[in-house]
Amino acid sequence: MTPRAARDVLAAGTEHHLAARVCAPPVDGAANTAVIALVAKAFQVPRSAVRLAGGDTARIKRLLITGDSDMLARRAASLYGAVP
């Protein structure tokens, strides 16, 4: 996660991670809130379905997304330009 970016973007990162860039600064949880909103929008789930499971103050975050696992896998694959 990169805070204070020019725009909010979620894209393919490494093999096991997505790369998130958010405009929000890393102050008082603002960047974490922005990442959750960005991931919820990208995966087309409500914000309440995305939870920060680790990395509160780290650049690498672990998020849990609840919902239909097949749909979530398709959305994740589409971010990488692949078909599951």
Side-chain angles (χ1 to χ4, degrees):
M1 192 263 300
T2 304
R4 291 191 174 123
R7 61 190 174 105
D8 292 345
V9 151
L10 185 65
T14 67
E15 181 180 346
H16 299 289
H17 299 97
L18 294 172
R21 290 185 289 284
V22 295
C23 298
V27 177
D28 296 329
N32 289 341
T33 301
V35 166
I36 288 170
L38 181 63
V39 169
K41 182 178 178 182
F43 282 84
Q44 298 178 346
V45 297
R47 281 189 221 166
S48 60
V50 182
R51 185 169 57 93
L52 184 63
D56 290 356
T57 59
R59 290 176 81 84
I60 295 179
K61 310 287 183 192
R62 191 171 30 147
L63 300 172
L64 296 176
I65 307 171
T66 56
D68 177 36
S69 58
D70 290 334
M71 185 271 301
L72 294 173
R74 283 193 304 276
R75 298 257 189 263
S78 72
L79 289 169
Y80 281 94
V83 177

